[in-house]
Amino acid sequence: MKALAIAFLVLLVNFAQAEAPTNDGVRASISPQTPAILCADQADNRIRLVDPFTQDADAADLWSYPAAEAPPSEHIPTDAKRVEIDGEVFILAAYHGRVRLVRFRDSKLIKDYSSYSSCHSAELLPDGSIATANSNHGKLRLHHSADDFVDTELPYAHGVTWDKKRQCLWVLGDRLYRFLYRDRKLSLDQAFDLPTSPTGHDLFPLRTEPKLLVSNNDALYLFDIETEAFQLLSDLNWIKSASQHADGSIWISDPQRTEVGANWQSDSVIPVQPPESNQRHTIAGSKFYKARWWQDVNFSH
């Protein structure tokens, strides 16, 4: 009888393993060159990596956190970035109230820190610390661990990006700030006035050039780090995210798709450079806050 019970248990385990979804093969095939979009999707509070070219909405997901079959997160996502540590790929996700570092290959939660309810963006620093930008609270928070953190006043804090070549942290708020990071401490080095209005929103580097995509409530700009000058790329208002495609074109989350949800949500990305392009990628059912092309961020990591 005991032997029968053990055999039955073995059969149950084998059946469960056979039925359990596995994405190992899919994940292994995803390289930095894979044409995919990483979204902070507020439709179901998941971080999603999607294939923008598929016509089948159910087949669009290449990866998600939490997984599609798991309950959604209780926290609303605001940003997601691909980061790399010693050759291992992770997803750094900002949420209202949290920041999480998730290992991509097995979706293991590596770090989970509390932040402000207005957390809008996050960046991984070389020593493993994490910086978060918290808009309504006007705070740049430097997390060394769950219980060890330091806050810096920074009005309208919305974006944050590490610059590995210059060993500094760029932070976007009412101005574009440059902080030095030495001995686990941030110190303000310089600040640059934003064009038009002090309402910075998204901050993300180009793939190879020393330039930053900078949006505010009025437009999208390119900030040249070497000349310290802003160049207008698009005069569309309320651009929440921007990134560069592998072909050099600049794409944004479409701020005009307000019919999909709240006025800060979208289901589409569109190019703004070159300006004559009429392309569009729509992720059916999404209400993402930010969406960027999947890529190595060599500027930062």
Side-chain angles (χ1 to χ4, degrees), residues 191-225:
F192 305 89
D193 290 337
L194 300 178
T196 315
S197 70
T199 56
H201 200 281
D202 195 38
L203 179 66
F204 202 71
L206 293 190
R207 289 177 179 249
T208 58
E209 297 177 86
K211 298 178 180 180
L212 299 168
L213 292 163
V214 177
S215 74
N216 62 7
N217 289 351
D218 308 286
L220 175 68
Y221 303 92
L222 193 62
F223 179 75
D224 189 316
I225 293 173

Side-chain angles (χ1 to χ4, degrees), residues 256-268:
Q256 303 164 107
R257 293 283 293 170
T258 54
E259 67 269 23
V260 305
N263 60 10
W264 58 82
Q265 296 171 333
S266 185
D267 65 352
S268 302

Side-chain angles (χ1 to χ4, degrees), residues 45 82 113 127 165 189 198 210 223 233:
N45 290 354
R82 180 190 189 278
Y113 299 158
D127 63 358
K165 180 177 179 180
D189 180 48
F223 179 75
L233 294 181

Side-chain angles (χ1 to χ4, degrees), residues 254 257 260 265-269 280-288:
D254 185 357
R257 293 283 293 170
V260 305
Q265 296 171 333
S266 185
D267 65 352
S268 302
V269 295
R280 170 184 297 275
H281 293 302
T282 298
I283 314 302
S286 288
K287 296 181 180 180
F288 52 73

